[in-house]
Amino acid sequence: MKIALMDSGIGLLAATAAVRGLRPDADLVLSLDPDGMPWGPRTPQDLTERAVAVAEAAAAHRPDALIVGCNTASVHALPALRALLEPAVPVIGTVPAIKPAAAGGGPVAIWATPATTGSPYQRGLIEDFAGGVAVVEVPCWGLAEAVEHADEAAIDTAVAAAAALTPAEVTTIVLGCTHYELVADRIRAAVRGPGRPAPVLHGSAGAVAAQALRRIGARPEPGATPLGAVTVILSGRPGGLPAPALAYAEGRLLQAVAPAR
């Protein structure tokens, strides 16, 4: 089994770790775009062109499925990627976990990039999946960039700023950018008020990994022998994990990089 994941940067690590947890025997192909990152400020057409190139680099390794480990790319490029690769290679997008978060009754906060916050896309998800639940959208200025570069001081500053915009009564937080899942513990600590339980955090990595297995007719086997190799592609070139990835447990899990079989 071979699963490919793509993103502009290390936001794909959360989904990669989730796949590793479900199927440690799967070979992994990680296709990143350091030459073109960040994707967020790009126009939809430009972002789609970059995403297609990154997906083609991953597809050259003949994966069984491709996970788009980026919320922004899933919004803008998913139709083009599916037209390019399916049905031969199932393409799984990443959508903020608003539906399961709202099922708890709320109030819910959605932490997302400033570009996504207030967007028709996110407002549509709220309307479709969070009817009757109080939802506040929280823009996280600079958080994805700080996580991407493992800048500890910048992460603390961005998390604190977003926490200050999060109402005290919020019981559930949706992590609407894959980068945020890499600092979930720090987010939880920042928003936990005195004498109050920590809010429940909802990321997308686990659901995306499980969906990838379903799409290829595979079952989770977390006890499988961990023999899966890892291949890293950087803007179409063979490479290794970016150094900041090793600042996170999800990156260190993949530290031994070897060619995929």
Side-chain angles (χ1 to χ4, degrees):
M1 182 190 307
K2 185 182 294 183
I3 305 293
L5 300 97
M6 59 170 281
D7 189 3
S8 63
I10 64 174
L12 54 67
L13 287 179
T16 303
V19 172
R20 199 56 138 182
L22 293 176
R23 289 299 299 251
D25 58 332
D27 289 337
L28 301 174
V29 178
L30 311 184
S31 189
L32 290 72
D33 186 27
D35 292 357
M37 66 173 298
W39 283 351
R42 293 181 177 274
T43 65
Q45 180 179 352
D46 191 18
L47 187 155
T48 297
E49 291 175 357
R50 302 293 313 188
V52 165
V54 169
E56 288 178 330
H61 290 261
R62 301 172 63 87
D64 298 300
L66 172 68
I67 292 173
V68 184
C70 172
N71 295 90
T72 303
S74 297
V75 171
H76 296 296
L78 202 56
L81 296 176
R82 285 179 168 157
L84 174 70
L85 297 176
E86 291 188 342
V89 179
V91 179
I92 297 90
T94 300
V95 176
I98 294 173
K99 185 176 182 179
V108 173
I110 304 173
W111 283 34
T113 63
T116 300
T117 301
S119 66
Y121 166 74
Q122 185 158 289
R123 292 284 170 85
L125 291 176
I126 294 170
E127 183 177 335
D128 290 342
F129 300 120
V133 175
V135 175
V136 60
E137 297 177 86
V138 176
C140 301
W141 296 94
L143 181 53
E145 294 81 1
V147 172
E148 178 68 33
H149 295 101
D151 185 330
E152 297 291 324
I155 291 170
D156 287 341
T157 298
V159 167
L165 297 175
T166 304
E169 64 271 17
V170 162
T171 60
T172 307
I173 295 177
V174 175
L175 303 179
C177 171
T178 54
H179 281 79
Y180 303 170
E181 298 190 49
L182 300 179
V183 292
D185 289 344
R186 294 164 76 161
I187 292 172
R188 186 180 290 107
V191 297
R192 183 173 188 173
R196 299 176 62 89
V200 177
L201 303 187
H202 283 270
S204 302
V208 166
Q211 176 66 0
L213 294 186
R214 282 193 293 269
R215 289 289 304 275
I216 63 176
R219 294 185 178 183
E221 294 184 17
T225 303
L227 297 177
V230 180
T231 295
V232 178
I233 309 165
L234 303 177
S235 297
R237 306 177 299 272
L241 283 175
L246 303 181
Y248 306 102
E250 294 87 347
R252 293 190 293 273
L253 181 68
L254 306 168
Q255 189 166 8
V257 178
R261 295 185 297 275

